[in-house]
Structures are given as structure tokens and as C-alpha cells.
Amino acid sequence: MTSETVSHAQLANAIRFLSADAVQKANSGHPGMPLGMADVAAVLFTRFMKFDADQPRWPDRDRFVLSAGHGSMLLYSLGYLLGYRDVTREELENFRQLGHVTAGHPEFGHIQMADTTTGPLGQGITNAVGMALAEKMLAARFGGEVVDHFTYVIAGDGCLMEGVSQEAISLAGHWKLNKLVLLWDDNEICIDGKVSLAQSDDQILRFQASGWNTIAIDGHDPVAIAAALEQARSSDKPTMIACKTTIGKGAPTLAGSEKTHGAPLGDKELAGMRDALGWPYAPFEVPDDILSVWRAAGTRGSAERLQWEKRVDALPADAKVTFVTSLQGRIPEATDAAIDAFKQKMAADTPKVATRKASQMVLEAVVPTIPQIVGGSADLTHSNLTITKDMKSVLPTDFTGNYIHYGVREHGMGSIMNGIALHGGLIPYGGTFMVFSDYCRPSIRMSALMEQRVIYVMTHDSIGLGEDGPTHQPVEHLASLRAMPNLRVFRPADPIETAECWQLALQWTRGPSFLALSRQNLPTVRTYTRENLCQLGGYVLSEPEDGKRDVTILASGSEVELALKSQVLLNAVGIKAAVVSMPCWELFDAQPTTYRKAVLGDGLRIAVEAGSTFGWERYVGLDGAIVGMTSFGASGPADQLYKHFGITAEAVADIAVARLKQNA
């Protein structure tokens, strides 16, 4: 048998058996989906995908998202067959084992073939919408000669059941993302059994109603698969291909059953499958002729990549610099200069503005310096103040803009921003009210897990938003977000701190940043320093003249003003108080012990923040005090709410006096 005589069935069966063997050896995993979608994957990767396994991060490659990430062995089998260097046979044999890249679900950064981390259902398809949107926007800026690729998604019923999928599907149809192709694994099975136990939607009509092109095929017929992909590639809309498949295809007694979804087939079933499909090879063995066809597919795109590199080199000098800089994610030097000038102006003018307004003022200064920045909001643009006068809306008819209107789709916004960041070439930020960070928390978590530079601009950050009441007043949110690994939560106190926090968010390329911004106006409390003090996480804002403290008051955001007023009240009664601003716990905790001890000082410490008191114990200690929220908020003017809940300068001063007397 030669490579010319290798059949489609043999190519697909190579995926099936590598996947089933790995799950069997691990005694853990999900073989059903890889077995069912092997035919689709074989056609897609050997005939349509534009990529180069030797250069896996080639910017103009087609993107592939395995939204149904539980079927990760499909991706790993493809990686090995196509010749990606990091997915070796040893890695397949150590599927789901500690210290190996073949994790239970695909993880971005672990294997080069994974364009995103998938597993939380619905996230992958929504990331893919972000990738397809990024492709459209970059093509509009730099031209189809250097930006011209598709985004393909394999999604299952679980992906489509998750609510975030509708947010993504709706936006993709609205934007007419015609280079987005979704391959639906229509096997009628979910973990509990038949999909009909929980759902009776007509998915084809659903996609059509959202402006998609739809095609229904036999997902095991290579001719039909290829024809559908050809049709999708020429559509003026995004395309959903409904691939009617059998979960666990090839398993002699379990095919079509939910029993193949999330458990090994078993030795007997796997042996029967080898007989039924004519695969007389040992586990993890792929005959040379079959493997050679797959490896040839893995390098098929190298010529296209080389031609693309020549086209990039041929760009006009300025366009080439901007394009390459954007792809590399570098922030121009002019941005730091703009921020420094802004800080000097704020120190001179000392405005009293909400930090959400200060954020907009910072954006007015820096957006013109960063060609790749892309803003947006979940239908709260003029409350979040996330737009500037020179920003232009992204529209279905015009992708040259740099501001995205996500509608009331907070979860979709977060996940689409992840897709934009993963694609490369653009730096996304997006806003909503901070209380609605709950709606996009799974996306924030994925930003952190994947170490993506996504900036969340969350306004109305406390009871200080006032009359909208407890439904809109975030109380526990700061504490819960600070508990998330690899997320930097910034809560600036004034325009200067806001500028410094924005600078840090833009500079940090290994994770997301969360800006918690006030609705109410706050005074400028900082003086100008060339140094970015917020990079320390916490610093002494005001020290007694002789440097000797009786008490240290710690605060963030809007409560720094209260802390400074408390300092005045205490000084008036002979108590020496220092005020520490703590805009970012994560950065403060990363400082040397000696620095942190010097900032926190000896003696009594009191923390004040208009949010949950949870977490401040680590800074004030067992003898300290925390002034904050222990309940939900209420509806009323902000100044009345602060008094009602006892978050005042007087309350802080009274506690300090009482504790010092108690400890005397």
C-alpha cells in the first residue's frame, strides 16, 4: 500500500484509534466525540485548513477551535499526525498525566496547536467569534494581502446549550463574519442520554434567525463534508454545518450511546472496534503510509506561509512597522509619554472627577498612541465612559473602527475579547457595571487562565453608585475577584492613580487587568511623581511629619479620601496617623517583605473599603479593624448610604481612638 492509495477511512481511523487508545491507557477521558468527528476533522485538516506545523503560530494561519474541549484527544491526535513537534507519541501515551502537555482539556500555551483553552462549554465558540472579528478588523486595516484566514470551530450540543453561545451566534450573524465556519457535532447525545431529554430547539432555524448560512450533511461522508466546506468558504455570512454523526463511531456495541461520551471503551470493546474497522495495529501505532499522508498535510501550508512573509516585507515601511508592532503586542513609547504628561496635568489642575471619568480622560490621551487598542462596552458606553471622541464604531459594513458595541452581552463580551487577544494584533478592553462582572466571570477566569492581556473596565464600583440600589451595588465582588489567580484588580483613588493603573494594565502581557472605577466624584489626592507608584500595589500616601505612627489607615479607591479625612481628625486629637493607598493587592503582595512591612507599619492598622471586609485581615492583623460592608447595599443618595453603613471618616477615627485606648 502506498500513500496514493491511503483512503479517507484510514486517515479518519488513525484519529479514532489514537484517541481511543489514549483514553483507554489513561483510564479517563472522552472518546465518543473524537470517534464521531474523525471524518470531519480528517477532511478539514488534510484538504482545507491553512497552517504550517513547522511554524505553528504563523499569524495568517487559519484558526481552529475545539469548542467541545472534552474531546481533547481529537486535537492531540491531529497534532501528532500532522507533525507538531510538541505532541509526540509519548505525550499521547501520557494523556491526562501530570507533567505532560496532553491535559484533560486543551490548554493554550501547553500545546502549540491549541488556539485557545476549551472545556467550559460555550467559551470556545465565543472565542472563535472574537478571532473571526479580529481577522475582519485587521484585514480592514492592513489589507487582504497580509490578513486573510478562516476560523473553524467544532462544537457539540453542550456548547450550543450554554447561554453564552447565543450571545456569540447573534453577534457573529450581526457582523456577517463570513470567514467563521462552525461544524456542529449533531449526534443527539449529551451526558445524561438523548439531547431530547432537555432540548427540542431546531438549531438550524436558530442559526438562520441569527443571520447565519446553514448546511446539513452526513458527518461521515467525506464528499458531503468537503462540499459543505467549499460552500461555507464562499458564503457572505458565517456558516453553521450541521454534521449528523454517531457518537463513538466504530465501537461495535456502544456507538450511538452516551456511554461513549466520558469513559474508556474498555479492552473488549476496543478490540472489537479494531476488528470492525480493519485496524490490526498495536495501540498508538500508525502505519508509515498513513502517517506520511498526514505529515504531508502538516507541511502543506509552508509555501503559503513563505509567500505571506514576502507580502509582509513588501508593505510600505510605515504600514509594515505598524503591522509587525501590532502582531508583537508592543506598546509604543509614546504611550508612556502621554501618561506622564497626563499625570503632570492632573497634579496641576487637581480636578474632582469620578475615576470612570478619569479613565475616559486617560483613554483620550493614550488611544491615539496605540493603533492596536480596541474598546467596547456591553451597552453602557456612556455610563462606563469607555469611548473617546476620536474612536470609531465597528459596524457590519465597516471594520476599520476601534470601538465595539457588544449590546447587553457581558459574558459574550468577555469571551469575545479573549478571542481577540488570542488572535493577536489587537489589545481589547471592554466595560460594564462592576456588579455585572458576575455575568462575565467565567470569561474573566479564562483570561487569567490563558494569561491574556484583556482589560476589564468596571464602573459603579460600590454603594457609591447610589440610588440604583443593592441590585447594582457590588459588595462581595472585589473580594471574590481578588481571589482569582493571575488577575490584577486595580481600584484607583484619583485621576493620577487611574492613569498609572491603565499604564500597568497596558504593559502587562501575561494576564488580564480589572479596573474598578467609581461613579461618584473624587478629589485628586496624589502629587506628581515620574515613578508609577501603583506598580508597588500599595504605598504610603501620607505620613506623619516625624514618621512615627500610632495608627496606619489602609484604603483603596473612593475610600482613600475618607482615610485622609480620618488622618486629619486623628491628628487633631494628638494621634499620629499614616494613610496607605492600596490600589492593587496582587502587586503589593509581590513586593519584598521588607517593603511591605515598612508600608504597613507597626502598631494599629485599620482598613476602610466600601465593599466586603473579607480579605483585609491579612493586612490589619488580629488586632486591627476593618470598616466596610457586611450586608448588601440599599437605595439612596451615595452620601447618605456611606453614613447609613458607617463608612465615614468619623467612624474610622472613632475606632482608632477606641482601639488605642483599649490597647494602652
Side-chain angles (χ1 to χ4, degrees):
M1 187 166 57
T2 65
S3 60
E4 288 76 18
T5 61
V6 171
S7 68
H8 162 80
Q10 289 169 316
L11 295 174
N13 285 340
I15 298 174
R16 289 191 172 98
F17 284 99
L18 287 175
S19 300
D21 288 338
V23 172
Q24 186 65 27
K25 187 174 187 296
N27 196 31
S28 175
H30 301 75
M33 192 281 278
L35 270 59
M37 288 297 282
D39 291 299
V40 172
V43 172
L44 177 63
F45 277 88
T46 61
R47 297 178 57 180
F48 290 91
M49 281 284 293
K50 181 176 73 170
F51 67 102
D52 183 355
D54 287 334
Q55 296 290 332
R57 309 312 296 175
W58 168 29
D60 202 41
R61 71 191 183 281
D62 288 342
R63 304 308 197 265
F64 175 69
V65 174
L66 185 67
S67 189
H70 56 272
S72 57
M73 270 311 307
L74 177 72
L75 193 67
Y76 302 147
S77 297
L78 286 167
Y80 170 72
L81 291 167
L82 292 164
Y84 284 83
R85 286 188 283 271
D86 57 343
V87 186
T88 63
R89 175 169 170 169
E90 179 186 0
E91 290 296 332
L92 298 186
E93 293 179 354
N94 285 279
F95 174 53
R96 289 190 162 214
Q97 303 308 300
L98 185 63
H100 292 271
V101 299
T102 44
H105 293 85
E107 296 187 37
F108 177 81
H110 284 217
I111 65 165
Q112 295 171 326
M113 193 179 178
D115 283 323
T116 182
T117 296
T118 54
L121 295 177
Q123 287 282 338
I125 177 179
T126 317
N127 290 169
V129 171
M131 294 174 187
L133 176 61
E135 192 275 345
K136 277 273 193 184
M137 294 176 67
L138 290 169
R141 296 175 183 210
F142 299 106
E145 287 295 303
V146 292
V147 183
D148 182 14
H149 52 266
F150 283 80
T151 301
Y152 296 96
V153 190
I154 287 181
D157 289 296
C159 298
L160 302 187
M161 288 181 189
E162 290 287 359
V164 71
S165 73
Q166 184 55 41
E167 298 182 24
I169 291 163
S170 175
L171 281 168
H174 170 71
W175 287 324
K176 303 185 188 304
L177 300 179
N178 61 303
K179 290 184 179 177
L180 175 63
V181 180
L182 185 146
L183 298 145
W184 170 34
D185 181 16
D186 180 16
N187 59 30
E188 301 182 14
I189 294 293
C190 57
I191 293 176
D192 283 355
K194 288 284 188 181
V195 168
S196 58
L197 289 169
Q199 190 173 43
S200 54
D201 304 33
D202 187 323
Q203 295 288 8
I204 290 177
L205 289 180
R206 174 191 176 193
F207 277 81
Q208 289 175 352
S210 294
W212 286 57
N213 175 41
T214 60
I215 308 167
I217 61 168
D218 176 353
H220 300 301
D221 179 351
V223 175
I225 296 166
L229 287 167
E230 288 283 9
Q231 182 180 335
R233 288 167 61 89
S234 61
S235 175
D236 60 354
K237 303 175 182 179
T239 297
M240 186 273 268
I241 303 174
C243 306
K244 181 61 68 177
T245 60
T246 300
I247 191 171
K249 173 75 172 176
T253 68
L254 298 179
S257 165
E258 72 276 7
K259 293 179 181 178
T260 69
H261 172 84
L265 297 179
D267 291 333
K268 183 178 179 181
E269 187 77 6
L270 196 46
M273 181 172 145
R274 279 183 155 79
D275 290 340
L277 297 182
W279 191 265
Y281 311 109
F284 303 102
E285 181 183 342
V286 179
D288 289 343
D289 55 341
I290 297 175
L291 187 59
S292 68
V293 174
W294 274 111
R295 293 288 164 89
T299 58
R300 187 185 67 244
S302 61
E304 286 187 85
R305 177 181 57 79
L306 293 171
Q307 289 299 315
W308 174 82
E309 291 175 354
K310 291 179 181 178
R311 293 194 297 272
V312 172
D313 285 339
L315 287 171
D318 289 348
K320 180 181 176 182
V321 169
T322 303
F323 184 54
V324 172
T325 299
S326 295
L327 292 179
Q328 292 173 341
R330 297 203 310 268
I331 299 296
E333 292 180 4
T335 304
D336 288 338
I339 288 175
D340 190 71
F342 177 86
K343 288 167 59 177
Q344 293 186 54
K345 179 173 173 53
M346 293 302 101
D349 296 347
T350 63
K352 186 174 184 178
V353 296
T355 50
R356 62 170 176 157
K357 178 60 178 177
S359 171
Q360 185 181 48
M361 294 160 66
V362 174
L363 289 170
E364 291 280 7
V366 302
V367 166
T369 72
I370 310 174
Q372 65 266 46
I373 200 166
V374 178
S377 172
D379 199 48
L380 288 169
T381 292
H382 300 293
S383 289
N384 301 146
L385 302 180
T386 41
I387 199 168
T388 71
K389 61 180 180 295
D390 294 325
M391 296 184 83
K392 178 182 173 183
S393 296
V394 173
L395 300 172
T397 54
D398 184 358
F399 289 89
T400 60
N402 58 353
Y403 193 84
I404 302 169
H405 299 274
Y406 291 98
V408 188
R409 301 182 181 93
E410 297 90 353
H411 193 182
M413 176 182 71
S415 190
I416 287 170
M417 288 197 296
N418 283 338
I420 292 171
L422 287 159
H423 180 278
L426 299 170
I427 301 170
Y429 73 85
T432 186
F433 289 162
M434 185 166 150
V435 75
F436 300 137
S437 64
D438 284 341
Y439 286 5
C440 59
R441 186 181 178 89
S443 297
I444 298 172
R445 186 175 189 271
M446 294 306 294
S447 303
L449 184 64
M450 294 188 289
E451 300 184 348
Q452 292 303 296
R453 178 172 47 186
V454 176
I455 303 171
Y456 295 89
V457 183
M458 300 293 183
T459 69
H460 299 59
D461 69 345
S462 74
I463 58 170
L465 68 89
E467 291 84 353
D468 273 340
T471 59
H472 283 55
Q473 292 167 1
V475 172
E476 74 279 16
H477 298 70
L478 281 168
S480 66
L481 289 159
R482 285 168 176 157
M484 187 180 293
N486 205 44
L487 173 67
R488 290 180 176 177
V489 179
F490 293 99
R491 191 167 186 247
D494 74 351
I496 293 176
E497 281 199 353
T498 303
E500 291 184 345
C501 291
W502 259 111
Q503 184 177 38
L504 293 167
L506 289 166
Q507 289 174 345
W508 193 38
T509 60
R510 294 186 57 193
S513 298
F514 186 103
L515 275 64
L517 306 173
S518 75
R519 176 181 185 260
Q520 71 272 37
N521 290 337
L522 305 175
T524 300
V525 297
R526 269 279 301 280
T527 56
Y528 169 75
T529 58
R530 179 171 292 278
E531 180 188 4
N532 185 321
L533 297 182
C534 288
Q535 71 181 333
L536 300 168
Y539 61 94
V540 179
L541 178 63
S542 180
E543 186 86 82
E545 289 184 7
D546 61 5
K548 297 179 181 179
R549 309 180 192 177
D550 297 312
V551 59
T552 301
I553 305 170
L554 316 173
S556 78
S558 47
E559 286 67 68
V560 172
E561 175 189 11
L562 297 183
L564 290 168
K565 290 179 178 178
S566 299
Q567 182 189 41
V568 173
L569 294 173
L570 290 168
N571 287 344
V573 295
I575 296 174
K576 298 177 179 180
V579 173
V580 171
S581 178
M582 296 193 63
C584 182
W585 288 16
E586 295 79 22
L587 288 176
F588 183 71
D589 291 346
Q591 302 307 312
T593 302
T594 52
Y595 174 79
R596 286 181 283 134
K597 285 184 176 180
V599 169
L600 295 176
D602 298 323
L604 177 65
R605 301 172 197 153
I606 300 174
V608 54
E609 187 173 66
S612 169
T613 60
F614 185 82
W616 280 102
E617 299 89 349
R618 76 173 77 175
Y619 303 120
V620 302
L622 295 177
D623 296 327
I626 308 167
V627 177
M629 296 292 294
T630 57
S631 67
F632 292 109
S635 182
D639 57 345
Q640 294 180 24
L641 291 173
Y642 272 83
K643 291 177 183 177
H644 176 74
F645 289 106
I647 306 175
T648 64
E650 292 78 10
V652 173
D654 288 345
I655 290 172
V657 171
R659 289 293 179 95
L660 288 170
K661 285 182 179 179
Q662 179 183 342
N663 297 334

